[in-house]
C-alpha cells in the first residue's frame, strides 16, 4: 500500500463493511495500528444495510484529492 501511495500520491481509505453487525468495536486499536503501518489515510465503518458510512468516506476522499 505504501508503494502505491508513493507512486500515485493518492489517499488510501479503508472501508470496514458490516457496521450493522457490531462494527470494529474492540478491534479499533488493531485497525489503527494497521492503518499507521500501511500508510492508510483514514478508515470508515460502513453498512450497506443501514446506508451509513459510505457517503462520509467519499466526501473525505474528494476533500483529500482536492489538496
Amino acid at each position: 500500500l505504501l508503494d502505491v501511495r508513493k507512486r500515485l500520491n493518492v489517499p488510501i481509505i479503508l472501508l470496514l463493511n458490516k457496521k450493522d453487525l457490531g462494527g470494529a468495536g474492540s478491534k479499533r486499536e488493531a485497525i489503527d495500528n494497521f492503518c499507521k503501518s500501511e500508510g492508510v489515510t483514514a478508515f470508515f465503518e460502513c453498512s450497506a444495510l443501514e446506508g451509513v458510512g459510505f457517503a462520509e468516506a467519499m466526501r473525505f476522499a474528494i476533500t483529500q484529492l482536492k489538496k
Side-chain angles (χ1 to χ4, degrees):
L1 290 177
L2 288 172
D3 185 49
V4 170
R5 185 168 185 202
K6 286 178 186 175
R7 281 189 292 124
L8 300 178
N9 194 28
V10 295
I12 297 173
I13 301 169
L14 180 64
L15 301 179
L16 305 172
N17 195 21
K18 306 290 185 189
K19 180 179 180 179
D20 53 284
L21 297 179
S26 63
K27 297 181 177 104
R28 195 162 212 68
E29 185 177 345
I31 294 166
D32 284 334
N33 290 336
F34 172 81
C35 289
K36 287 176 187 170
S37 70
E38 297 299 324
V40 175
T41 307
F43 70 89
F44 294 86
E45 292 185 77
C46 303
S47 169
L49 180 66
E50 296 175 348
V52 297
F54 187 75
E56 180 185 7
M58 292 305 102
R59 281 191 293 275
F60 178 82
I62 290 167
T63 300
Q64 293 296 304
L65 290 169
K66 287 182 176 180
K67 290 183 177 181

